[in-house]
Amino acid sequence: MANYNPSQSMRFRTKIIMTAVFFVLFFLIALNFFKISVVNNNKYQAMANSQHFGSITISAHRGSIFDANGNVLAKSATVYKVFLDPSMYKNELEELQKRIDKRNEDKKNGDYKPEYDENGVEMNALPESANAFTEQTVAFLSEKLAIEPDKVRKAMEEDTQYSVLQDQVEKPVADEVLSFFNKYGFVSLAVEEDTKRYYPQSELAASVIGFTSADGNGMYGVEASYNEYLSGIDGRTISAKDSNGNELPYRYSKTYDAKNGDDVYLTIDMNIQYYLEQHLQEMVEKYKVKNRGCAILMNAKTGAIYGMAQYPSYDLNNPYKISEDKETAIKALKNETEADKKLAEERETQWRNKNITEVYEPGSVFKVITSAAAFEENLIDLAKDSFYCSGAVKIEGHPEPIKCHKHEGHGAQTYQEALTHSCNPAFMEIGKRLGIEKFSYYLDAFGIDQKTGIDLLAESAGIIKEADEMTNVDLAVNSFGQGETITPIEMITSYCAVINGGYLLQPYVVDKVVDNDGNIVFKNERTVRRQVISEDTSATMREALFNVVNGNGKGNVSIKGYSIGGKSGTAERLSAGDMKDEYAASYVCFTPADDPEIVLLVMADMPDKENERYYGSVVAVPTARDILTDVLPYLGISPEYTDEELANLDVKIPLLEGPLDDAKRTLEGQGIKYEVIGNGIEVVAQSPITGKSVAKDGCVYLYTEPSHTVEYTTVPDVTNGYLDWANEQLTYCQLNYVAKGAMRDEAVVSSQSIDPGTPVPIGTTIELELTVYDSGD
């Protein structure tokens, strides 16, 4: 009989195999346990926490941004996030249909008695059906929340308990949508507190302030560069859940409070910023500037920026909106991809801070840098040196002679005359004296090819050739501001080093950062990057630039009572790609000339070339003058008049109504002529009116009859004439004037404030702009 029982050896092998299998299984289990508990501990811990704990974010309140005087430029306000619980909504919809069915049954059986309010409206009315309510809800929410109906329908169908419909919702709208749902007892729609960024000044200093993205983080400007301070730290409430996912009572939760963001105080003064933007707009519109205009006003001793502007700008409360003309041009594009690309480019351009991100050729303003380098190296003798200009210079390697703006040449001239004439051949000679090595050394020392370190993101640096790449032609054209490129912030910072004692400063727009307890957590101070030139060289340059303004006035800022130094520039925009025959018109000036407090840069990028009105002296100088005319009194810098200026000051007309004899004495005391109209003994009206100014030889017309008729005259055209001739024409027409601009014999009237042919009351004051067109910049 066969024996089917396993043998001893078979049982032994089985035990071995089983032991090996169990050992492998045990090893795999242990290995997996090790991976879960050690290697992937954080992952599974988070998964467990998500099942056992609920978490609600408490948004931190973003800090505010203030100007130098504490005026609010950016702040956050409470708004609401509207969300729907789709699962609950579906259940509530089913319950609503049951209520509707029950009421319809009651109506059918005569058991329902409607109640009406005092206006005759049925109380506790129900919709026709649950589906009808859904359609009403879709239409209502899409209108109130400004979203597409499909987004509402999609949210209603989601398999979730939380679907955001809209954020940044104002309180009245949030209350209205809650009321709509509460009308039928629905609680599936709810709101959460959130914050929204507001910019009370809209466009003011937009390129400096920047704006925030949808998630609340800073984009561009101070909002981005100081985001770490402004954003704060969100808080969180963590609560325990039971096995069904329901939150346990409050005692099982813990709240970590949010840390609100810090407040940022700028060096920017809102009023100064307004002056810059106002006059930039006038410049850009008057001279049809294609590629925007910009301006910077800086403290010459500290590097603090008082104003930084560009025009056109944009509305910080609606940053994605571009100008209407550009929007129209984009809509005209037939290719949708091309249109989207163009829209993105236009937005990026308007957000970009031109003062720190875009380069241009500085032109004759750069002669200040060349001069300072040469004086520091003792290569110019003010008393003995002569710079001869024949009208053109032939440089080896250049195909044709490089011309001076005065084609017949300036002849022999001192350094001061060469600077005042803005003579290119003279500065090619100065560059030659420096040589490539020394010239390159000073470009580097003045930070021409380096970022200034300003506390704003996305700063660019100028582009110059290194010494080993620079040719004699490069040296020649670079010496008078062509060939190299520079940003406006680099230009004003290097210029500042020339006139402030030689110190290259790091500019800044933020003064301090203050936390919620009033503690200063960050403070910007004067930072000297290096001393480039000596105090003596700087003093020499201040005097030379003051003499450019005071001794010539051709295309420079001249304001009675203020000592100003400055230099204008006009440069071909060779770096602008396919933009052919375009120019950059600029001006940089400072005051007081002997001990500068402020320095101002104005630049128009590609002004219209009509009638050759694209020079810095024609475009940028009047804008700089208008800015300083507003800013200097605002800063409390009082005028100090010379005897000549005192003798020729414009006179502000006082209130003259009252006794005629008193009015006569007042005007005679001010040296103003007058003409009496009527036979009365009381002045009942006057022209010009109170507060208007007239030139020293002006005339005031006094009406003395209560029933007088205002006499009118017609404004003549005095443009393109000299001031004396313009005065004769206006006097003949019984009109007054005040003049501003280049107060020199060779200056002509470039514009008048009231158009020729306009009828105006006799005595009206016409503002005349004087310009010297052959300004050589």
Side-chain angles (χ1 to χ4, degrees):
M1 183 174 179
N3 183 6
Y4 294 103
N5 293 323
S7 64
Q8 186 69 25
S9 62
M10 290 175 64
R11 285 196 294 270
F12 179 76
R13 286 197 301 272
T14 301
K15 287 180 180 179
I16 293 297
I17 293 170
M18 292 295 293
T19 300
V21 169
F22 280 118
F23 178 80
V24 170
L25 290 174
F26 177 79
F27 176 78
L28 292 174
I29 292 170
L31 180 63
N32 197 42
F33 179 78
F34 178 79
K35 287 176 64 179
I36 292 173
S37 60
V38 179
V39 178
N40 296 326
N41 176 267
N42 292 337
K43 173 184 175 182
Y44 289 103
Q45 184 69 43
M47 292 173 63
N49 287 342
S50 67
Q51 294 181 3
H52 295 292
F53 298 97
S55 177
I56 299 174
T57 299
I58 304 172
S59 297
H61 190 86
R62 190 173 180 84
S64 298
I65 299 175
F66 299 91
D67 85 332
N69 299 315
N71 298 303
V72 178
L73 299 175
K75 65 177 182 178
S76 294
T78 299
V79 288
Y80 296 88
K81 184 183 295 182
V82 178
F83 67 93
L84 183 72
D85 181 339
S87 299
M88 183 181 294
Y89 176 75
K90 293 169 188 174
N91 293 333
E92 290 177 334
L93 210 58
E94 291 177 3
E95 290 299 319
L96 177 62
Q97 187 59 54
K98 291 178 182 179
R99 289 163 57 194
I100 294 171
D101 292 340
K102 173 81 166 53
R103 179 162 296 182
N104 289 339
E105 184 68 26
D106 290 343
K107 287 181 179 180
K108 183 178 179 180
N109 297 331
D111 296 333
Y112 176 70
K113 294 181 180 180
E115 296 181 3
Y116 299 91
D117 61 17
E118 58 186 11
N119 296 318
V121 178
E122 182 180 353
M123 300 170 63
N124 301 319
L126 294 175
E128 181 181 339
S129 66
N131 288 336
F133 173 74
T134 294
E135 291 305 312
Q136 292 174 18
T137 301
V138 169
F140 177 81
L141 291 178
S142 63
E143 176 189 354
K144 295 298 179 182
L145 301 179
I147 56 178
E148 292 296 325
D150 287 346
K151 181 176 181 179
V152 182
R153 291 192 179 93
K154 183 179 178 182
M156 290 175 171
E157 297 300 323
E158 287 181 5
D159 185 18
T160 180
Q161 294 180 324
Y162 186 85
S163 179
V164 176
L165 295 173
Q166 186 62 288
D167 53 17
Q168 307 281 290
V169 176
E170 304 287 350
K171 189 176 189 305
V173 176
D175 290 342
E176 196 171 352
V177 295
L178 285 174
S179 177
F180 179 85
F181 270 68
N182 290 340
K183 182 166 62 174
Y184 301 118
F186 278 44
V187 294
S188 51
L189 183 133
V191 299
E192 292 177 344
E193 275 196 11
D194 202 353
T195 59
K196 181 178 181 179
R197 202 67 167 162
Y198 286 98
Y199 301 92
Q201 308 303 325
S202 299
E203 295 187 7
L204 193 76
S207 62
V208 176
I209 298 169
F211 57 96
T212 57
S213 60
D215 62 2
N217 285 311
M219 292 179 65
Y220 297 89
V222 171
E223 291 278 28
S225 57
Y226 284 82
N227 187 64
E228 181 180 351
Y229 288 103
L230 288 162
S231 59
I233 303 173
D234 288 343
R236 193 171 294 275
T237 296
I238 300 175
S239 57
K241 294 181 179 179
D242 63 17
S243 59
N244 295 318
N246 300 312
E247 290 189 1
L248 294 174
Y250 183 76
R251 63 179 180 272
Y252 295 103
S253 67
K254 184 173 181 59
T255 297
Y256 298 90
D257 292 332
K259 181 185 181 299
N260 291 332
D262 301 324
D263 293 331
V264 172
Y265 288 80
L266 306 185
T267 58
I268 300 290
D269 184 300
M270 189 172 76
N271 295 300
I272 293 175
Q273 183 72 22
Y274 171 76
Y275 294 140
L276 264 63
E277 295 189 10
Q278 176 192 22
H279 295 304
L280 272 183
Q281 179 178 356
E282 294 167 357
M283 179 189 76
V284 169
E285 293 177 352
K286 180 176 181 179
Y287 296 101
K288 302 174 184 177
V289 179
K290 301 181 186 68
N291 197 30
R292 301 190 293 176
C294 61
I296 305 171
L297 185 73
M298 186 168 79
N299 184 309
K301 296 179 178 178
T302 67
I305 304 292
Y306 292 159
M308 177 180 280
Q310 63 189 40
Y311 185 85
S313 186
Y314 65 96
D315 185 353
L316 288 169
N317 294 302
N318 191 11
Y320 293 90
K321 173 71 174 176
I322 62 174
S323 64
E324 291 184 6
D325 57 334
K326 291 179 179 177
E327 191 172 17
T328 301
I330 290 173
K331 287 180 179 178
L333 296 174
K334 296 180 180 179
N335 186 305
E336 186 175 344
T337 302
E338 185 180 349
D340 290 342
K341 181 181 178 182
K342 186 64 176 175
L343 177 60
E345 289 176 356
E346 293 294 352
R347 285 173 172 170
E348 173 64 26
T349 298
Q350 75 176 11
W351 296 338
R352 196 166 56 233
N353 187 335
K354 187 176 184 69
N355 286 289
I356 69 169
T357 64
E358 297 182 14
V359 297
Y360 72 106
E361 291 82 356
S364 293
V365 172
F366 200 79
K367 292 170 182 174
V368 174
I369 306 299
T370 305
S371 297
F375 276 116
E376 187 69 9
E377 292 296 317
N378 297 312
L379 297 174
I380 299 175
D381 188 324
L382 282 172
K384 299 178 180 179
D385 270 348
S386 177
F387 298 90
Y388 185 81
C389 171
S390 63
V393 176
K394 183 70 176 75
I395 302 294
E396 184 179 353
H398 199 270
E400 56 188 28
I402 300 175
K403 297 179 181 179
C404 181
H405 66 89
K406 188 176 183 180
H407 292 174
E408 66 272 24
H410 292 103
Q413 51 191 341
T414 65
Y415 164 77
Q416 184 63 62
E417 289 171 333
L419 181 64
T420 301
H421 295 157
S422 200
C423 177
N424 288 347
F427 278 86
M428 285 188 275
E429 168 62 23
I430 294 172
K432 183 179 179 181
R433 292 184 184 185
L434 278 165
I436 289 175
E437 290 295 331
K438 283 292 184 183
F439 185 74
S440 296
Y441 168 81
Y442 279 100
L443 291 185
D444 184 67
F446 277 109
I448 302 303
D449 60 343
Q450 305 155 20
K451 296 179 181 180
T452 65
I454 190 171
D455 50 342
L456 291 171
L457 300 180
E459 183 185 6
S460 300
I463 301 172
I464 58 173
K465 287 186 177 180
E466 298 292 336
D468 57 356
E469 299 175 345
M470 190 177 290
T471 66
N472 288 330
V473 174
D474 294 324
L475 175 63
V477 296
N478 285 177
S479 66
F480 59 82
Q482 282 288 170
E484 68 272 81
T485 61
I486 193 169
T487 63
I489 190 65
E490 279 181 293
M491 186 68 253
I492 195 172
T493 304
S494 58
Y495 193 106
C496 191
V498 172
I499 53 95
N500 73 358
Y503 300 98
L504 186 66
L505 303 174
Q506 180 173 306
Y508 56 96
V509 297
V510 169
D511 175 37
K512 61 186 176 182
V513 179
V514 180
D515 67 16
N516 289 269
D517 297 322
N519 301 310
I520 297 176
V521 296
F522 174 82
K523 175 74 174 173
N524 260 321
E525 302 285 354
R526 176 178 185 262
T527 301
V528 177
R529 294 162 63 189
R530 54 186 165 270
Q531 185 171 6
V532 184
I533 57 175
S534 67
E535 295 274 0
D536 289 343
T537 297
S538 182
T540 300
M541 287 306 305
R542 288 197 298 271
E543 184 176 1
L545 291 166
F546 169 71
N547 289 335
V548 168
V549 176
N550 192 54
N552 181 9
K554 289 185 176 181
N556 282 282
V557 168
S558 179
I559 303 174
K560 292 176 183 178
Y562 294 98
S563 62
I564 298 171
K567 184 75 187 77
S568 60
T570 306
E572 292 183 79
R573 291 288 278 108
L574 301 177
S575 65
D578 58 357
M579 302 293 287
K580 302 297 183 184
D581 300 321
E582 296 291 351
Y583 295 85
S586 63
Y587 188 68
V588 185
C589 59
F590 57 94
T591 190
D594 59 340
D595 185 19
E597 292 288 341
I598 59 173
V599 57
L600 170 66
L601 175 146
V602 175
M603 195 268 282
D605 199 356
M606 304 182 191
D608 189 74
K609 299 185 293 297
E610 182 182 1
N611 299 321
E612 295 192 345
R613 299 176 69 186
Y614 57 84
Y615 292 102
S617 56
V618 177
V619 179
V621 165
T623 303
R625 182 202 60 231
D626 292 344
I627 290 171
L628 289 182
T629 300
D630 288 334
V631 167
L632 292 175
Y634 173 76
L635 289 176
I637 302 176
S638 301
E640 296 179 4
Y641 300 107
T642 64
D643 292 340
E644 182 182 355
E645 287 174 335
L646 280 172
N648 293 285
L649 283 179
D650 295 332
V651 179
K652 184 171 288 187
I653 303 300
L655 177 63
L656 299 170
E657 293 180 15
L660 177 59
D661 289 341
D662 290 350
K664 289 179 179 180
R665 280 192 294 270
T666 299
L667 293 174
E668 289 167 357
Q670 293 182 317
I672 297 294
K673 295 179 291 186
Y674 58 86
E675 183 177 321
V676 179
I677 302 174
N679 299 315
I681 59 172
E682 294 277 330
V683 177
V684 297
Q686 66 185 75
S687 182
I689 61 174
T690 304
K692 285 290 185 180
S693 294
V694 299
K696 192 70 175 178
D697 56 352
C699 181
V700 177
Y701 295 85
L702 305 173
Y703 293 93
T704 61
E705 300 287 351
S707 58
H708 71 279
T709 300
V710 175
E711 297 184 17
Y712 278 78
T713 185
T714 301
V715 177
D717 185 356
V718 296
T719 57
N720 299 315
Y722 293 110
L723 182 60
D724 288 345
W725 176 83
N727 184 22
E728 291 176 3
Q729 299 301 308
L730 293 171
T731 301
Y732 177 78
C733 295
Q734 297 179 288
L735 294 169
N736 290 294
Y737 78 91
V738 290
K740 57 183 181 179
M743 305 298 291
R744 294 293 182 270
D745 292 340
E746 63 270 39
V748 297
V749 177
S750 58
S751 66
Q752 57 189 73
S753 60
I754 301 179
D755 292 334
T758 304
V760 297
I762 60 173
T764 297
T765 298
I766 311 297
E767 294 182 7
L768 305 180
E769 178 77 40
L770 299 180
T771 302
V772 179
Y773 286 110
D774 183 21
S775 53
D777 57 13

